[in-house]
Amino acid sequence: MTLQRRRILQSTAAALLAAPALLLAQSWPTKPIRLVVPFPPGGLLDNMARLIAPRLTQTLGQTVVVDNKAGSGGNVGAAEAARAQPDGYTLLLASPPLTISPALYKNLPYKPEQISPVALMGRVPNVLLVKSSSKITSVKELTDLAKAQPGRLNYGSNGNGTSLHLSAELYKSSSGTFITHIPYRGSAASMNALLAGEIDMMFDNVPPAMGQIQAGTVRALAVTSTQRSKALPNVPTMAEAGIPGFDVSAWFGLAVPAGTPAAVVSRLEQALEAVSKIPEVTEAMLRQGADPAYQDSRAMAAFMASDAAKWKRVAAYANITLD
């Protein structure tokens, strides 16, 4: 067989193998698509899912239905998506629990490799807060005080293993300080504790904290993203405030069960990129304190791997494990 003929046969075989995937991409979807949201209705990430879903419906030509499956810090919904048929008809609202939970839980109800990223859509930074009457006016002052009096200061969070809890643990490990953790049932309870003087500081997502910041009842010392939040342009980042390399955000995007055909993932990726460019979508994100930050599946996978490695280090440093 001549070299030219061999190459022709190889090209033909490759085209035949690619044909089913091409046909699938052209025919999919043919029925409604379920978007699993691993949180209860009404929260920030649920709002982002409900912002994206109708635009995906328009782009894909099939209804995208939001299905809230809350529980176990996002693990219930993630496990349900991981076990779903990888046919493109089950999507997962991807968020921090996908990179935090593997570092914390002894018995995670799914394996991280069972879920594949599609695209990242946006990020919501956290913000470091103290009561407005506090004598602490900067991250440096907080750090200096915490080092001078180890264990005297305390901080509140919305529960063990949450991004707000781990934001504080990352700050402690990065600054070499010891500050006592007091978990509460939700960030609203933690905020009330801060206002009552029961705790000295806390991290919160920017959107729910905005009311108290604007009212002047709490003081924002820094945001946890690598760039300043558009909602709080005058508040420095943690890196600007003296804690280099600090990067925490309540990111969100879409993922699918592992094994979903590459042609379907590519179609979804293209659809999400189109949705990310709709002015109404970006404006709605900004109004709710989210910074639009589209990344394709490859970039999202790299981001998630880096994020997971970071939380594994923090969990080991703080000796945090959950059942």
Side-chain angles (χ1 to χ4, degrees):
M1 184 184 294
T2 65
L3 179 60
Q4 182 179 8
R5 181 171 175 76
R6 186 181 294 113
R7 286 175 175 171
I8 292 172
L9 289 174
Q10 288 173 340
S11 298
T12 302
L16 289 173
L17 288 172
L22 181 61
L23 289 173
L24 177 62
Q26 291 173 340
S27 62
W28 178 89
T30 59
K31 61 182 182 180
I33 300 166
R34 182 173 65 133
L35 171 53
V36 177
V37 176
F39 305 102
L44 173 67
L45 294 178
D46 176 67
N47 290 342
M48 293 297 101
R50 293 177 188 278
L51 173 66
I52 294 168
R55 275 74 182 188
L56 271 182
T57 294
Q58 295 169 359
T59 304
L60 296 173
Q62 286 289 342
T63 303
V64 177
V65 181
V66 173
D67 185 11
N68 296 89
K69 295 292 181 180
S72 187
N75 293 333
V76 170
E80 176 149 337
R83 291 191 296 263
Q85 194 72 21
D87 54 9
Y89 292 101
T90 298
L91 313 178
L92 172 69
L93 184 77
S95 59
L98 290 182
T99 53
I100 292 176
S101 293
L104 302 181
Y105 284 85
K106 298 177 182 177
N107 300 302
L108 199 63
Y110 68 94
K111 295 180 180 179
E113 59 268 24
Q114 289 180 281
I115 295 173
S116 297
V118 174
L120 188 73
M121 295 296 288
R123 300 189 187 194
V124 182
N126 297 332
V127 58
L128 173 55
L129 303 168
V130 295
K131 191 176 179 181
S132 58
S133 59
S134 171
K135 295 180 180 179
I136 299 169
T137 63
S138 69
V139 174
K140 183 181 184 306
E141 290 179 1
L142 174 63
T143 302
D144 290 345
L145 181 60
K147 286 183 175 180
Q149 303 181 51
R152 189 188 74 78
L153 297 180
N154 54 40
Y155 75 91
S157 80
N158 57 338
N160 289 312
T162 63
S163 70
L164 303 183
H165 172 204
L166 293 185
S167 290
E169 293 300 329
L170 179 59
Y171 164 65
K172 287 165 60 178
S173 66
S174 300
S175 61
T177 55
F178 174 64
I179 305 172
T180 304
H181 177 216
I182 302 178
Y184 291 86
R185 288 181 175 271
S187 58
S190 184
M191 177 64 78
N192 288 336
L194 181 65
L195 296 175
E198 297 173 8
I199 55 176
D200 299 294
M201 55 167 275
M202 66 175 284
F203 285 87
D204 200 359
N205 296 132
V206 167
M210 285 300 295
Q212 298 292 349
I213 294 171
Q214 291 170 343
T217 55
V218 297
R219 178 183 299 127
L221 300 185
V223 293
T224 61
S225 48
T226 56
Q227 297 182 346
R228 294 194 180 197
S229 168
K230 293 180 176 64
L232 295 169
N234 296 321
V235 176
T237 65
M238 291 289 285
E240 290 174 329
I243 310 295
F246 203 101
D247 182 16
V248 181
S249 58
W251 53 272
F252 59 93
L254 289 190
V256 291
T260 299
V264 172
V265 174
S266 179
R267 179 89 185 277
L268 274 168
E269 191 178 54
Q270 293 168 10
L272 283 170
E273 184 174 14
V275 169
S276 73
K277 295 177 180 178
I278 299 173
E280 296 172 357
V281 172
T282 57
E283 290 167 6
M285 285 186 186
L286 290 170
R287 281 197 303 271
Q288 297 191 55
D291 295 330
Y294 176 83
Q295 291 184 340
D296 62 19
S297 58
R298 184 173 297 181
M300 183 179 177
F303 163 74
M304 288 178 63
S306 175
D307 210 45
K310 173 179 65 184
W311 295 130
K312 186 176 181 179
R313 291 193 301 271
V314 172
Y317 174 86
N319 194 28
I320 304 171
T321 57
L322 302 175
D323 294 328

